[in-house]
Amino acid sequence: MGEQKKKKVYDIPLDLLYPRQCPFCQRIAGYGRLICSDCEKEVPYLEEPFCMKCGKPFSIEEEAKEYCRDCQLHKRSFIRNYGLLRYESKVKKSIYAFKYANKREYADWYAKELVKRYGALWKSFQIDGIIPVPVHKKKRRQRGYNQAEILGRKLGELSEIPCISKGLVRTVDTTPQKELDNKQRYKNLKSAFSIGNIPEEVHIVLLVDDIYTTGATMEACSSLLLEQTTIEKVYACSISVGNGL
């Protein structure tokens, strides 16, 4: 009788034992779901018009342009950044929880939606490696994980592209980017990264981060990869794209 009870417990789907929280409202998403039905109807996806380089939404005055002001003024070594969500209130809260409150499971929904939107395109680019933007070991110890690596691994599983989690190393624990202006951000990150372990046969990569704002982090990482490895092309993706503030 005891064994029968154990079997019944083990047969219960994990979603019932450990219900999923919606990444936006934090309520129970529902059996077999990664997002609740209410929030699913109001997801703030990035929609055109946006910058064809970084994915940043255009203002009404910029709509006729191909590139935003930042991308016209600053060098972009990556070919293009592919974003999923607008950086607004509910998205900020979701990514904050993913990044600082151990809500690693949110990566499942983020990755699923990114692959749904861009997976076929990335496959056509013949991307052969996913490289997460690294965090400094001090921050990793504090959080217990690197959110970009969690996302990169999930993207790798869904797209069947190897995730090279140690491809880049954060060597300098820089000042938080949000406290700096554009010029300071680029200077702050210039020597903050180094090359880790990247197979020589990898030539086209997808650089992954949680938020794209000024592009300073993506530029620092992509330029380093192109200058110091066998990599020939760098594409990028992020959960959300903000206005750079």
Side-chain angles (χ1 to χ4, degrees), residues 2-14 17:
E3 286 186 7
Q4 287 181 342
K5 285 184 178 179
K6 283 184 180 179
K7 283 184 180 179
K8 287 181 180 179
V9 170
Y10 290 149
D11 287 341
I12 296 174
L14 283 177
L17 291 174

Side-chain angles (χ1 to χ4, degrees), residues 74-202:
H74 301 289
K75 178 185 176 184
R76 303 298 190 214
S77 298
F78 56 87
I79 295 174
R80 186 171 173 180
N81 176 60
Y82 295 90
L84 179 66
L85 307 171
R86 298 193 304 274
Y87 195 52
E88 56 182 51
S89 179
K90 65 169 68 176
V91 174
K92 291 179 183 180
K93 291 177 182 177
S94 178
I95 295 178
Y96 185 90
F98 172 53
K99 193 170 183 174
Y100 298 110
N102 203 29
K103 296 297 183 181
R104 308 184 200 192
E105 67 270 23
Y106 289 0
D108 291 344
W109 184 82
Y110 299 146
K112 179 184 175 184
E113 293 301 300
L114 278 164
V115 171
K116 184 192 299 183
R117 178 174 279 210
Y118 301 120
L121 191 62
W122 293 341
K123 187 174 182 180
S124 73
F125 296 155
Q126 298 183 308
I127 291 171
D128 48 17
I130 293 173
I131 299 182
V133 170
V135 295
H136 191 266
K137 58 183 179 182
K138 179 182 176 182
K139 286 190 173 71
R140 189 182 184 107
R141 281 198 302 268
Q142 290 171 343
R143 299 176 195 170
Y145 60 99
N146 171 14
Q147 71 282 352
E149 182 181 340
I150 299 294
L151 178 63
R153 287 184 181 279
K154 183 55 63 173
L155 286 170
E157 290 174 17
L158 296 178
S159 61
E160 299 183 332
I161 300 172
C163 178
I164 309 169
S165 59
K166 306 299 181 185
L168 284 169
V169 178
R170 186 87 176 226
T171 54
V172 179
D173 187 17
T174 53
T175 304
Q177 291 292 86
K178 62 184 179 181
E179 297 175 12
L180 307 174
D181 62 27
N182 265 13
K183 188 174 181 180
Q184 291 172 322
R185 290 186 190 207
Y186 282 97
K187 185 177 180 181
N188 191 44
L189 287 165
K190 192 172 182 181
S191 303
F193 302 97
S194 64
I195 300 300
N197 184 18
I198 301 175
E200 290 187 4
E201 63 271 18
V202 173

